[in-house]
Amino acid sequence: GAPLVLIDPGHGGIDPGASTSGGETEKAVVLALGLALKERLEKSGRLRVAMTRTEDVFISLADRVRIAREQGAALMVSLHADTLAYEPGVRGASVYTLSEKASDDISARLADAENRADLLAGVDVRDEDGQVGDILFDLTKRETRAFSHHLARNLVETLGKSTSMHKNPLRSAGFRVLKAPDVPSVLIEVGYLSSESDARLMQSLEWRSGMAEALAAAVEKYIDENATRMGNSAPKP
Ligand code: ZN
């Protein structure tokens, strides 16, 4: 069948994520964007689409990873829109992949902040990096990481055409939500609620549909470029 894209709107329920002084929350911004992306991907009818949440509910980071693996997702896209109190005035989108060593301090602090989501709900946050030392498992992880990078590069390229990007848009850190060993996963900061201009932009329908279009284009390009691996019978050039 068609490859499955898993859209993962960050936060939810008792975890609002970032918020503006005006009371706009990250969990609402990314859910609206996730639903718009789902609609856009389904319109072209080439991919199957699932979401980790379609309403305002809390889902642990481990459960998001579990959903990706159980559903056999071809890829997972986590959507976020944080505030960076320590980087005021910064704006633009960034795309993150998993790495044990963060690409920079800001990314490390962002991952720490995101990884605290589970503490809010009292979820056990011990690391479940099992199967250490298993060669096949390590190979799978390495391959998954390469595919995640490929997807991230497509996203940076496509998003850069229609939205402002962070000065270093391709970054990495130890995000727990990106730890599925066999599902290529990226986390996108679509903008920062701490930036007044970003926050204003993210309320608009034009922004949301433009962003959904750009995300969908990058995902479809990635799927096309990896059609063989997906077991997809789509003809290749
Ligand atoms: Zn977030």
Side-chain angles (χ1 to χ4, degrees), residues 96-192:
Y96 292 87
T97 55
L98 177 68
S99 69
E100 269 102 58
K101 194 176 177 306
S103 56
D104 55 278
D105 281 358
I106 305 268
S107 300
R109 288 156 84 170
L110 180 65
D112 283 349
E114 292 296 349
N115 291 347
R116 277 197 291 276
D118 283 0
L119 293 173
L120 276 175
V123 175
D124 187 354
V125 294
R126 272 174 309 189
D127 251 320
E128 295 126 30
D129 281 351
Q131 295 163 277
V132 175
D134 180 320
I135 289 169
L136 275 179
F137 183 70
D138 288 346
L139 282 174
T140 303
K141 275 202 334 194
R142 198 178 312 164
E143 190 191 50
T144 299
R145 199 159 294 190
F147 282 112
S148 302
H149 275 286
H150 180 173
L151 176 59
R153 282 194 306 272
N154 281 7
L155 282 160
V156 165
E157 190 189 309
T158 310
L159 289 176
K161 288 176 190 161
S162 57
T163 191
S164 74
M165 301 296 288
H166 190 277
K167 58 185 190 300
N168 305 309
L170 196 54
R171 304 158 90 183
S172 62
F175 293 92
R176 295 177 57 83
V177 75
L178 300 181
K179 286 197 170 178
D182 45 6
V183 180
S185 306
V186 297
L187 183 147
I188 304 167
E189 292 283 351
V190 293
Y192 293 113

Side-chain angles (χ1 to χ4, degrees), residues 11 26 80-82 114 189:
H11 310 281
E26 180 184 359
H80 287 261
D82 283 271
E114 292 296 349
E189 292 283 351

